[in-house]
Amino acid sequence: MKFYTVEIEARRELGAYTLISYRWPGEKVEPGRFVMARAAGYPVTLDPFLARPFSFYDFEDGVASLLFEVRGRGTALLDRATRTVEVTAPLGRGFEIDASAGRAALLGGGIGVAPLKILGRELSARGIDHDVFLGFLDAGTAAVADDFAGASVATMDGSAGTHGTVLDAAPDLLEYPVVYACGPNAMLAAVKDAAGPDGLRQLSVEERMGCGNGSCNGCVVPVDGGYVRSCVEGPVFRAEVLAW
Amino acid sequence: MVVRERVTGVDLSVEMCGITLSTPLVPASGTLAKEALGEVEGVYGAILPKTTTPAARAGNPPPRVAETPAGMVNSIGLQNPGVERFMEDLDAFDLGVPLFVSVAGETVRDFAALCERVSEDGRVAAVELNLSCPNVEHGGLTFCAGPAAVEEVVTACRAAAPTKPLFAKLTHEGVVGNARAAESAGADALTVMNTIPALTIDAKRRSVLVRGGLSGPAVKPVALKAVHDVARTVRVPVLGGGGVTSGTDVAEFMLAGATLVQVGTASFVRDPVEILAEFSDYLREAGMGAAELTGALR
Ligand SMILES: Cc1cc2nc3c(=O)[nH]c(=O)nc-3n(C[C@H](O)[C@H](O)[C@H](O)COP(=O)(O)OP(=O)(O)OC[C@H]3O[C@@H](n4cnc5c(N)ncnc54)[C@H](O)[C@@H]3O)c2cc1C
Ligand SMILES: Cc1cc2nc3c(=O)[nH]c(=O)nc-3n(C[C@H](O)[C@H](O)[C@H](O)COP(=O)(O)O)c2cc1C
Ligand code: FES
């Protein structure tokens, strides 16, 4: 896998999450695609060894940004990077956008908000009406919602917005011909249930990855009759494809 | 092409089993998908796709990969579409370099049938036998559990594919005895080595994370010794690998006795173009061609 060393153009904290941006001279970034990223490359990072997957948070005027939550060592090191980070070119299959399909609901759980920013930007650019619903653990993580004008927010501890899950902040999803969601797999399964079988339902899944380019068969999700690699066939899947 | 500019002025070509390769690098089976081939054009002297089996295999449920210091543990479970669909799709792996095919079965008969099936195809330059999978007729011990098991399966494959170059891929345990057995049963070359059995545990959840095979830089010293010991024991050439991550690593495996060098896990974290470029720099400095390096330990 080819990694590029990119300079950090900007770094800021959005509540509990960190946003970094860098210039990406390559092709336009499609919503829902991701990169493998790490604080530094070989031989500095023999440990932690693998790069980590991150969805694009935004892409504007050739500047790409990633939003991340510090969970373990890889993200802690990224959070400490000041000058440069290493990223791959954009990977995977993003969200399908169908301008004729009608109104869209965008649902994010926790750091699953990440791909909804760039998705919302693209929907707006194409004149597609959409509503954003975001669920968080608490007010600290919910602070990122300030970056989503008009979003409805829920928190599990009730410290901001509706008390409950993202589904408690959203109206009946059956009303929406298009539903997009990103978050923990349990949330995606709940969204799949609530959104029903009709219309365009797309879920961005989160699996452990080895390579990010289809080579290791590590990142699979269950589908009818077996498993498929989420890094090349996903990370965005039509809900009906996933055998959850 | 990017690669060519970075490797000028050195002779990277090598020869093995009558096959001429433009570089001594080969992808390790199971670590290079057809979707990623475009990124490695010019790097590898031959292409070696993931192991194929008689019928399609869904593979193991996730999680399948876990990171370790300088490596990873995988438990993919040989997910593949089965030999017939694999052969239908074989042209997808055509980069204009020789194509090696890796096969695995659950019985000796499976192995022989696979060898017959893939070796009759003119696009296949050689067959690698992935002997580290369980032999259902021997209580789930692998096909390289010992010299007798190796001898039996390689003999059957040799008879099934009398003219195609056959490589026996071995694990490090008992590798010298197994290498001798494979050679005497007619293997044309030996691949050393496969992953090392390993386990990762998620302490927070108090559960097993992944039980599988360890690969990556962490296994390199073990692999180097295995290659070194085997190359001093057998006459047939060795495809060395296990943790190869830099151009110097490639040189080390060749010095230990490898004719070809397999790059696996490192290709997830580095651009293989860099590895070949570093190896070219090494040769340039040493004033040697790749072919001269095999076994050239002082
Ligand atoms: C397609 C995709 C997009 C993602 N987008 C984002 C994003 O935009 N922002 C963000 O903060 N996070 C995102 N994640 C999750 C992010 O990759 C993990 O939080 C991160 O890998 C954790 O690494 P760590 O070193 O901090 O944690 P550690 O626990 O130290 O990681 C150890 C290993 O487990 C893997 N791992 C741990 N947690 C996860 C997880 N939840 N999902 C997948 N692998 C995991 C790591 O990659 C690493 O290999 C995404 C994941 C995927 C698959
Ligand atoms: C994700 C993954 C999948 C693998 N799949 C196969 C396989 O299908 N057949 C096989 O013979 N070896 C397989 N291997 C083993 C590699 O081919 C190689 O022998 C081993 O990983 C050691 O080399 P490395 O450290 O360079 O990866 C796999 C290894 C990894 C990491
Ligand atoms: S991460 Fe390796 S195949 Fe998807």
Side-chain angles (χ1 to χ4, degrees):
Chain A
M1 178 69 94
K2 187 170 171 60
F3 285 84
Y4 301 84
T5 305
V6 293
E7 272 176 41
I8 300 173
E9 286 249 315
R11 179 187 182 287
R12 71 193 159 101
E13 265 140 45
L14 295 180
Y17 303 147
T18 304
L19 182 138
I20 56 174
S21 52
Y22 59 91
R23 209 154 269 290
W24 179 251
E27 76 227 73
K28 178 186 170 206
V29 174
E30 304 295 339
R33 300 194 78 194
F34 70 100
V35 288
M36 298 298 281
R38 58 189 181 191
Y42 177 85
V44 180
T45 57
L46 281 174
D47 185 29
F49 183 64
L50 300 171
R52 312 296 197 229
F54 298 95
S55 301
F56 283 99
Y57 180 68
D58 208 352
F59 182 71
E60 197 187 9
D61 302 329
V63 175
S65 52
L66 308 176
L67 179 77
F68 60 89
E69 176 178 39
V70 175
R71 283 195 190 153
R73 290 189 309 154
T75 47
L77 287 170
L78 267 181
D79 195 41
R80 265 181 261 150
T82 49
R83 238 176 33 80
T84 60
V85 292
E86 293 216 335
V87 295
T88 62
L91 302 167
R93 250 192 237 172
F95 295 103
E96 281 173 58
I97 295 174
D98 180 353
S100 65
R103 196 169 188 87
L106 279 57
L107 296 99
I111 190 62
V113 301
L116 303 186
K117 180 75 180 174
I118 182 172
L119 175 62
R121 178 188 293 285
E122 182 69 19
L123 294 176
S124 298
R126 299 217 207 161
I128 301 169
D129 283 336
H130 58 277
D131 302 315
V132 181
F133 307 100
L134 306 175
F136 300 94
L137 281 180
D138 51 32
T141 43
V144 68
D146 292 348
D147 214 29
F148 292 78
S152 309
V153 172
T155 53
M156 296 300 281
D157 68 357
S159 55
T162 308
H163 192 168
T165 71
V166 62
L167 285 173
D168 296 312
D172 190 354
L173 292 182
L174 297 173
E175 315 270 305
Y176 287 90
V178 181
V179 173
Y180 298 110
C182 182
N185 290 355
M187 170 202 146
L188 298 182
V191 168
K192 178 179 172 176
D193 253 10
D198 302 325
L200 181 62
R201 272 85 181 98
Q202 297 209 305
L203 310 175
S204 181
V205 305
E206 200 178 289
E207 269 304 331
R208 280 171 184 271
M209 291 190 176
C211 64
N213 69 6
S215 289
C216 74
N217 282 285
C219 61
V220 295
V221 290
V223 297
D224 236 14
Y227 295 105
V228 297
R229 295 162 300 171
S230 62
C231 67
V232 285
E233 316 229 4
V236 179
F237 290 92
R238 289 196 173 215
E240 65 271 19
V241 168
L242 295 169
W244 279 352
Chain B
M1 197 190 307
V2 194
V3 182
R4 232 168 257 153
E5 280 165 23
R6 301 196 44 186
V7 300
T8 49
V10 280
D11 185 4
L12 286 166
S13 67
V14 290
E15 205 246 48
M16 196 187 79
C17 304
I19 305 163
T20 302
L21 293 91
S22 54
T23 88
L25 298 190
V26 178
S29 180
T31 64
L32 178 64
K34 59 173 191 267
E35 289 88 350
L37 282 175
E39 303 171 30
V40 297
E41 245 188 292
V43 175
Y44 294 117
I47 293 298
L48 176 52
K50 185 165 180 66
T51 299
T52 187
T53 55
R57 285 175 61 110
N60 295 331
R64 291 178 170 187
V65 291
E67 179 182 74
T68 63
M72 63 185 277
V73 174
N74 86 81
S75 150
I76 308 301
L78 289 184
Q79 177 175 344
N80 83 95
V83 66
E84 286 313 323
R85 272 202 40 214
F86 171 79
M87 293 304 285
E88 272 168 34
D89 203 24
L90 199 61
D91 285 340
F93 290 97
D94 183 9
L95 277 189
V97 298
L99 189 56
F100 302 160
V101 167
S102 167
V103 298
E106 290 178 340
T107 63
V108 169
R109 194 179 303 187
D110 277 357
F111 263 103
L114 283 164
C115 285
E116 194 174 347
R117 172 68 186 90
V118 303
S119 68
E120 74 194 12
D121 194 302
R123 296 171 294 178
V124 177
V127 182
E128 184 174 87
L129 311 174
N130 175 2
L131 298 183
S132 37
C133 42
N135 179 342
V136 295
E137 291 166 333
H138 285 270
L141 286 175
T142 72
F143 285 92
C144 50
V150 171
E151 175 131 24
E152 187 190 357
V153 68
V154 176
T155 302
C157 291
R158 181 74 287 165
T163 56
K164 201 65 85 171
L166 271 189
F167 312 155
K169 182 172 181 181
L170 305 170
T171 50
H172 74 291
E173 239 186 298
V175 72
V176 172
N178 289 338
R180 268 203 209 100
E183 180 182 43
S184 74
D188 299 291
L190 305 172
T191 302
V192 179
M193 59 175 219
N194 213 314
T195 53
I196 300 177
L199 179 75
T200 56
I201 285 178
D202 185 335
K204 217 158 142 191
R205 297 208 168 114
R206 280 184 257 146
S207 60
V208 167
L209 186 55
V210 178
R211 178 199 309 268
L214 179 67
S215 64
V219 309
K220 193 188 96 178
V222 177
L224 262 182
K225 177 170 190 301
V227 168
H228 183 249
D229 292 354
V230 167
R232 287 158 58 122
T233 307
V234 299
R235 283 203 197 86
V236 292
V238 175
L239 295 91
V244 174
T245 309
S246 69
T248 315
D249 291 347
V250 176
E252 289 174 20
F253 274 83
M254 295 189 76
L255 288 167
T259 300
L260 300 185
V261 177
Q262 299 195 344
V263 179
T265 305
S267 64
F268 305 161
V269 297
R270 291 202 77 198
D271 182 356
V273 173
E274 300 288 332
I275 300 176
L276 185 70
E278 291 162 2
F279 179 58
S280 307
D281 294 343
Y282 173 90
L283 289 177
R284 203 174 293 116
E285 239 163 73
M288 295 171 86
E292 297 167 71
L293 211 55
T294 298
L297 271 184
R298 278 205 269 252

